[in-house]
C-alpha cells in the first residue's frame, strides 16, 4: 500500500508534467500551516527559476488540472506560488478503510531490504548494569524494531565488553584477597572448580574498589595491566577466572534486560573477534596502510577537509597489545564474514564519537568494507538528574538499573492506588507496564544525541508528553470498545469508516494519515523520537475527538459504527507505534 503523501504526489507530479513542467517540481509535504490547508506543494517557486515565469502562474497551471480531481476538496494556487491542498472527506475515509485492512497501516516496506547488525547494550562483564547502559538498550531496541518492521533482516548484538582492563583489575584484586586460590598457582595442572570463587554481589564490590585503588596506586595498575596481558596471552588460571566472571555476570545482565523488555539475537563478546586480529594486522601492513609511530602500529585517518583533531587509529600499542579500536575493526570483519551485513548501526554514548569516526575511516581506507556498506553511529547524550549532573543515587553513588526500575514502578503504583481502586496484585502488574513506558518514553521522546533530565515525577505523570499519557489514551479507547460490546454490539460489524463530518474527526484522521511517513522518517534517521512526537499528537487529537463527540450516544447507527471503526484503527496504530518503541499497554489503568 502507498503512503497518502505518495498518492497525492503522483497526481501533483502528473499535473506539473502535463502542464509542460518537469515532474520533479511536484514534491508534496504535510502543510506547515494546518489552519490553511492539509498538504502543500512549493515546487512552483523553484520551477519559476527554470522556466522564467511567475511562480503563481505555474501554480495556477497545475491547479487548473487538479481542481476537478475527486481526491481534493479544495486545491488553490496562492501567492507567491504555493499550492495548498485539502483532501476530500470521502477520499480520506476511503484511505482510512484501506489502512484498516492493511497490517502495515499504509507504511511501505524498505525497497532495498538488507541485513543489518545493530550493536547496542554494550555492557561490560563484572560491572553491574547501571543507568548509563539504559539509553543504549532502550534506543537500540527501538531502532531494531523499526528496521525490522521496514522489512529488513535485523540482528541485535549485545557486544559484551569482556576483554579489557576491568578483568585484569578483578584478577589482581582477587589475587590480593585470596592468594591461595588454585587459579594463581602456576604449578596447578588439575581441573579448575566449576563454581566461581565469587558471587555477583562480591564482583560488584570488587570492581569499583579495584578501579578506584588503581587510580591512586601505580604499581597496582601495572599489575592489573600485566594480568590483562597475561590473560590475553592465554594464562590458564586467568582464563578460568575470566570464564567465571562472564558466567556470573551474563546471568545478571540477562535478568536486567528482560526487565526492560530488551532482547538480543546475539551474545557476542569482544574476545570472540581476537582471532581475526593477526591476519587483519598483517593485511594492513602489507597494504601499506599501517606504519610504526612511537613504537605503536597506526593507520592515518586524517582527511584534508578535517577541521577537528583526527589522531591516527592505533592498531597495536607499543607493548604489542590490542585495544578498543583493534577489537572494533576485527568485529567489522566478523560481521561481514558471518552475516554478510550491509549496514552496521552502533548505539553508543556520544562521547565515543571520535573512536567510531576513526574506526569507520580506518575500515573504509583499509578495505574492510566497501563503499556500499553503511556504517551508522548513533551517539546518545547523558541522562542527567534534576541537578543537571549525570544521574546518581541520593548518596552520590552509581545507580543500579534494577533499583531505578523498581523505584519507578513504586512511584507509578502509588499514583494508581491514590486515584482508583484496584486489587494490589493487578495494580502491581499495571505499574510494571506503566513504569516501563514511563522510563522508555521519557528517554525516547528526546532526540538521542541530546542530554536529558530524568525526572521521575514528570515521567510518571498521566498528563503531558509522557508514556503513561499515551497508555492512558489507549486504555481509554479499550474501555469505549468494551462498553460498545457490553451494550450488545459486535466490534467486527463496525467495519466501515464514513466521511468525517466534524473537525475533531477529520483532525484525528489526518493524524492517522501520517503514520507511514513518520515510520519511514524514523527509520531513515534512526530516530525513535519522531514516533514519540507523532503518538503524542495523535493522543491529543484522539482526546479532543473523544471529548467533542458522543460515541455511545450516537443515534445514527452507520455513523456510530464508523466512529467505532475509527477508534479501532487509532488503537491499532498507537499500539503498533508503542511496540516499535519497545513497550505495551495494560487493559486498565
Ligand atoms: N562496552 C563499551 C562501553 O561500555 C560499549 C561497547 C559499544 N560497542 C562497540 N562496538 N564498541 O563503553
Amino acid at each position: 500500500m502507498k503512503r497518502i503523501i505518495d498518492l497525492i504526489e503522483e497526481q501533483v507530479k502528473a499535473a506539473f508534467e502535463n502542464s509542460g513542467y518537469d515532474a520533479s517540481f511536484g514534491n508534496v509535504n504535510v502543510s506547515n500551516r494546518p489552519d490553511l490547508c492539509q498538504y502543500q506543494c512549493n515546487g512552483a517557486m523553484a520551477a519559476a527559476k527554470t522556466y522564467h515565469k511567475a511562480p503563481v502562474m505555474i501554480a495556477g497551471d497545475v491547479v487548473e488540472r487538479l481542481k476537478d480531481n475527486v481526491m481534493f476538496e479544495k486545491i488553490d494556487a496562492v501567492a507567491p506560488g504555493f499550492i495548498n491542498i485539502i483532501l476530500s472527506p470521502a477520499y480520506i475515509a476511503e484511505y482510512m478503510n484501506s489502512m484498516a485492512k492493511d497490517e502495515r497501516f499504509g507504511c511501505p516496506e524498505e525497497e532495498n531490504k538488507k541485513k543489518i547488525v545493530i550493536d547496542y547494550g554494550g555492557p561490560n562483564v563484572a560491572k553491574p548494569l547501571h543507568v548509563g547502559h539504559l539509553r543504549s538498550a532502550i534506543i537500540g531496541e527501538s531502532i531494531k524494531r523499526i528496521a525490522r518492521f521496514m522489512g529488513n533482516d535485523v540482528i541485535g548484538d549485545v557486544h559484551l565488553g569482556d576483554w579489557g582492563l576491568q578483568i585484569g583489575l578483578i584478577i589482581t584484586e582477587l589475587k590480593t584477597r585470596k592468594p591461595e586460590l588454585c587459579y594463581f598457582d602456576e604449578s596447578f595442572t588439575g581441573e579448575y572448580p566449576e563454581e566461581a570463587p565469587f558471587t555477583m554481589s562480591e564482583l560488584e564490590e570488587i570492581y569499583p574498589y579495584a578501579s578506584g585503588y588503581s587510580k591512586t596506586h601505580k604499581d597496582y595498575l601495572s599489575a592489573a595491566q600485566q594480568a590483562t596481558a597475561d590473560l590475553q596471552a592465554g594464562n590458564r588460571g586467568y582464563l578460568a577466572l575470566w570464564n567465571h566472571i562472564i558466567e556470573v555476570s551474563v546471568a545478571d545482565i540477562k535478568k536486567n534486560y528482560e526487565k526492560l523488555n530488551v532482547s538480543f539475537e546475539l551474545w557476542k563478546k569482544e574476545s570472540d573477534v581476537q582471532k581475526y586480529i593477526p591476519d587483519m594486522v598483517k593485511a594492513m601492513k602489507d597494504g601499506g596502510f599501517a606504519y610504526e609511530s612511537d613504537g605503536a602500529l597506526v593507520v592515518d585517518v586524517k582527511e584534508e577537509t578535517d577541521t577537528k583533531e583526527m589522531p591516527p587509529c592505533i592498531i597495536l600499542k607499543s607493548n604489542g597489545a590490542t585495544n578498543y579500536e583493534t577489537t572494533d575493526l576485527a568485529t567489522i570483519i566478523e560481521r561481514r564474514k558471518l552475516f554478510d551485513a550491509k549496514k552496521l548501526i552502533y548505539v553508543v554514548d556520544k562521547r565515543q564519537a571520535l573512536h567510531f569516526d576513526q574506526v569507520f575511516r580506518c575500515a573504509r581506507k583499509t578495505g574492510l568494507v566497501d563503499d556500499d556498506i553503511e556504517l551508522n553511529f548513533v551517539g546518545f547524550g547523558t541522562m542527567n538528574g534534576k541537578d543537571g549532573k549525570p544521574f546518581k543515587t541520593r548518596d552520590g553513588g552509581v545507580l543500579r538499573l534494577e533499583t531505578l526500575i523498581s523505584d519507578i514502578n513504586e512511584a507509578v503504583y502509588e499514583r494508581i492506588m491514590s486515584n482508583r481502586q484496584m486489587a494490589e496484585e493487578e495494580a502491581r502488574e499495571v505499574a510494571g507496564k506503566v513504569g516501563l513506558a514511563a522510563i522508555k518514553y521519557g528517554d525516547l521522546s528526546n532526540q538521542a544525541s541530546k542530554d536529558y533530565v530524568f525526572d521521575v515525577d514528570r515521567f510518571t505523570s498521566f498528563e503531558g508528553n509522557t508514556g503513561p499519557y499515551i497508555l492512558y489514551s489507549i486504555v481509554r479507547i479499550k474501555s469505549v470498545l468494551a462498553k460498545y460490546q457490553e451494550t450488545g454490539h459486535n466490534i467486527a460489524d463496525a467495519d466501515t469508516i464514513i466521511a468525517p463530518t466534524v473537525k475533531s474527526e477529520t483532525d484525528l484522521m489526518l493524524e492517522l494519515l501520517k503514520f507511514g511517513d513518520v515510520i519511514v522518517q524514523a527509520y531513515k534517521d534512526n530516530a525513535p523520537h519522531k514516533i514519540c512526537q507523532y503518538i503524542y499528537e495523535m493522543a491529543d487529537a484522539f482526546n479532543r475527538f473523544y471529548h467533542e463527540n458522543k460515541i455511545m450516544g450516537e443515534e445514527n447507527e452507520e455513523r456510530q459504527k464508523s466512529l467505532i471503526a475509527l477508534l479501532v484503527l487509532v488503537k491499532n496504530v498507537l499500539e503498533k507505534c508503542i511496540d516499535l518503541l519497545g513497550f505495551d499497554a495494560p487493559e486498565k489503568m
Side-chain angles (χ1 to χ4, degrees):
M1 201 179 149
K2 289 184 176 165
R3 288 178 292 181
I4 188 98
I5 200 131
D6 297 328
L7 295 169
I8 303 172
E9 208 164 86
E10 274 171 14
Q11 302 294 320
V12 176
K13 286 191 162 165
F16 265 90
E17 195 147 41
N18 294 334
S19 312
Y21 309 113
D22 200 90
S24 64
F25 292 111
N27 281 343
V28 171
N29 301 308
V30 173
S31 161
N32 53 18
R33 284 290 305 273
D35 51 324
L36 297 179
C37 61
Q38 297 164 350
Y39 294 87
Q40 67 188 65
C41 167
N42 305 340
M45 251 83 76
K49 294 194 190 83
T50 310
Y51 300 101
H52 306 292
K53 211 168 170 183
V56 75
M57 285 178 69
I58 297 176
D61 292 344
V62 173
V63 162
E64 191 52 34
R65 290 181 188 268
L66 293 171
K67 65 181 197 309
D68 296 325
N69 190 315
V70 289
M71 234 167 132
F72 309 120
E73 172 163 272
K74 202 164 176 295
I75 178 158
D76 294 319
V78 181
F82 297 112
I83 300 173
N84 287 352
I85 301 169
I86 295 180
L87 295 175
S88 87
Y91 183 75
I92 295 179
E94 189 187 315
Y95 193 87
M96 289 289 109
N97 285 313
S98 15
M99 247 183 111
K101 283 189 201 85
D102 176 17
E103 58 178 20
R104 305 184 53 75
F105 310 111
C107 178
E109 289 201 329
E110 155 79 284
E111 276 167 32
N112 193 356
K113 288 183 200 153
K114 44 182 134 347
K115 183 77 143 225
I116 302 178
V117 175
I118 307 193
D119 180 316
Y120 69 109
N124 299 307
V125 299
K127 305 186 196 173
L129 274 192
H130 59 81
V131 296
H133 294 110
L134 188 67
R135 297 212 70 192
S136 180
I138 292 177
I139 300 166
E141 179 73 19
S142 179
I143 290 179
K144 182 172 85 177
R145 291 176 182 215
I146 296 167
R148 197 170 272 164
F149 179 69
M150 291 303 293
N152 298 287
D153 184 357
V154 193
I155 301 176
D157 179 7
V158 72
H159 197 72
L160 286 176
D162 71 330
W163 208 233
L165 182 64
Q166 83 263 31
I167 309 286
L169 284 166
I170 291 172
I171 292 175
T172 305
E173 184 54 26
L174 271 178
K175 201 171 182 173
T176 319
R177 293 188 192 185
K178 302 181 184 171
E180 71 286 359
L181 289 176
C182 59
Y183 306 93
F184 305 119
D185 175 0
E186 277 167 29
S187 60
F188 185 81
T189 53
E191 293 256 328
Y192 290 108
E194 268 183 29
E195 186 93 2
F198 41 71
T199 62
M200 188 61 209
S201 34
E202 281 167 320
L203 269 189
E204 282 175 7
E205 177 266 321
I206 294 175
Y207 173 73
Y209 174 80
S211 166
Y213 195 78
S214 72
K215 293 204 169 90
T216 47
H217 296 78
K218 271 217 161 104
D219 290 353
Y220 188 90
L221 178 63
S222 337
Q225 282 164 338
Q226 189 54 48
T228 313
D230 290 347
L231 166 78
Q232 297 183 351
N235 179 305
R236 247 184 105 238
Y238 291 2
L239 281 171
L241 279 175
W242 166 73
N243 269 314
H244 286 311
I245 295 173
I246 292 179
E247 211 179 311
V248 170
S249 307
V250 168
D252 184 69
I253 291 172
K254 283 199 169 154
K255 201 175 71 197
N256 272 287
Y257 282 135
E258 252 164 50
K259 284 198 185 123
L260 278 177
N261 206 356
V262 165
S263 65
F264 299 91
E265 287 61 44
L266 272 185
W267 283 79
K268 285 272 185 188
K269 311 186 285 304
E270 288 179 356
S271 61
D272 291 331
V273 300
Q274 301 306 312
K275 56 177 176 276
Y276 300 101
I277 293 178
D279 283 351
M280 178 182 92
V281 170
K282 184 169 181 307
M284 286 183 181
K285 277 188 189 159
D286 292 351
F289 300 113
Y291 68 94
E292 248 183 63
S293 165
D294 291 335
L297 189 70
V298 304
V299 173
D300 281 332
V301 290
K302 204 168 157 47
E303 287 165 11
E304 264 180 32
T305 49
D306 283 337
T307 48
K308 59 182 178 193
E309 192 72 31
M310 183 55 66
C313 193
I314 301 179
I315 310 299
L316 293 178
K317 289 194 247 184
S318 50
N319 65 359
T322 63
N323 64 6
Y324 195 39
E325 282 87 312
T326 332
T327 300
D328 265 325
L329 287 163
T331 307
I332 293 179
I333 296 181
E334 175 164 77
R335 288 178 179 156
R336 291 283 302 123
K337 184 179 151 97
L338 297 187
F339 314 112
D340 193 21
K342 292 280 189 292
K343 180 168 173 177
L344 304 178
I345 304 177
Y346 296 79
V347 185
V348 186
D349 192 315
K350 72 176 175 198
R351 285 169 291 190
Q352 294 190 22
L354 176 63
H355 163 80
F356 281 99
D357 226 346
Q358 292 175 296
V359 167
F360 291 174
R361 286 183 182 198
C362 183
R364 291 213 189 276
K365 181 171 180 181
T366 60
L368 299 188
V369 294
D370 293 331
D371 289 346
D372 63 330
I373 308 293
E374 278 180 74
L375 300 170
N376 290 176
F377 173 66
V378 181
F380 53 81
T382 309
M383 176 175 141
N384 290 324
K386 278 190 190 168
D387 57 0
K389 298 199 184 110
F391 202 87
K392 291 266 160 72
T393 55
R394 222 166 285 163
D395 58 18
V398 175
L399 183 62
R400 297 189 45 149
L401 193 53
E402 260 181 311
T403 318
L404 176 91
I405 297 175
S406 63
D407 285 357
I408 285 266
N409 288 355
E410 195 55 37
V412 174
Y413 175 79
E414 308 257 296
R415 229 181 249 269
I416 294 176
M417 289 312 239
S418 69
N419 289 329
R420 61 218 89 210
Q421 293 200 319
M422 214 186 256
E424 149 111 40
E425 199 183 330
E426 189 182 8
R428 291 270 172 216
E429 203 193 310
V430 172
K433 289 199 174 196
V434 179
L436 192 61
I439 295 178
K440 287 196 167 185
Y441 190 92
D443 188 307
L444 293 170
S445 53
N446 303 284
Q447 195 177 326
S449 60
K450 300 228 164 91
D451 296 347
Y452 76 97
V453 172
F454 192 88
D455 180 342
V456 177
D457 290 333
R458 191 168 81 72
F459 287 7
T460 58
S461 168
F462 285 22
E463 280 149 40
N465 188 6
T466 70
Y469 170 67
I470 305 293
L471 296 191
Y472 192 72
S473 306
I474 296 175
V475 166
R476 181 172 256 173
I477 299 178
K478 288 186 179 181
S479 89
V480 176
L481 297 179
K483 228 180 256 155
Y484 184 70
Q485 278 192 304
E486 281 159 23
T487 49
H489 300 89
N490 192 345
I491 291 183
D493 296 338
D495 60 357
T496 308
I497 296 175
I498 57 175
T501 51
V502 291
K503 183 169 182 304
S504 61
E505 191 184 6
T506 310
D507 287 348
L508 182 56
M509 293 187 187
L510 288 174
E511 286 302 327
L512 285 166
L513 289 181
K514 293 180 192 160
F515 176 77
D517 208 30
V518 168
I519 303 299
V520 169
Q521 287 308 324
Y523 165 65
K524 283 193 178 148
D525 301 344
N526 292 320
H529 74 274
K530 297 194 171 170
I531 300 182
C532 292
Q533 193 184 334
Y534 172 60
I535 57 179
Y536 178 48
E537 283 162 16
M538 172 105 89
D540 265 355
F542 157 71
N543 283 303
R544 271 195 311 276
F545 164 84
Y546 177 81
H547 289 298
E548 288 175 21
N549 295 277
K550 287 208 177 68
I551 301 169
M552 295 311 292
E554 174 59 54
E555 281 167 10
N556 176 333
E557 201 183 333
E558 196 197 6
R559 177 160 155 82
Q560 188 182 44
K561 279 188 183 169
S562 169
L563 296 179
I564 291 291
L566 178 61
L567 286 195
V568 171
L569 182 57
V570 172
K571 176 179 90 78
N572 290 344
V573 167
L574 283 176
E575 285 188 323
K576 174 49 80 187
C577 288
I578 62 171
D579 179 55
L580 294 177
L581 297 174
F583 54 90
D584 56 6
E587 290 307 307
K588 281 200 242 170
M589 66 187 263

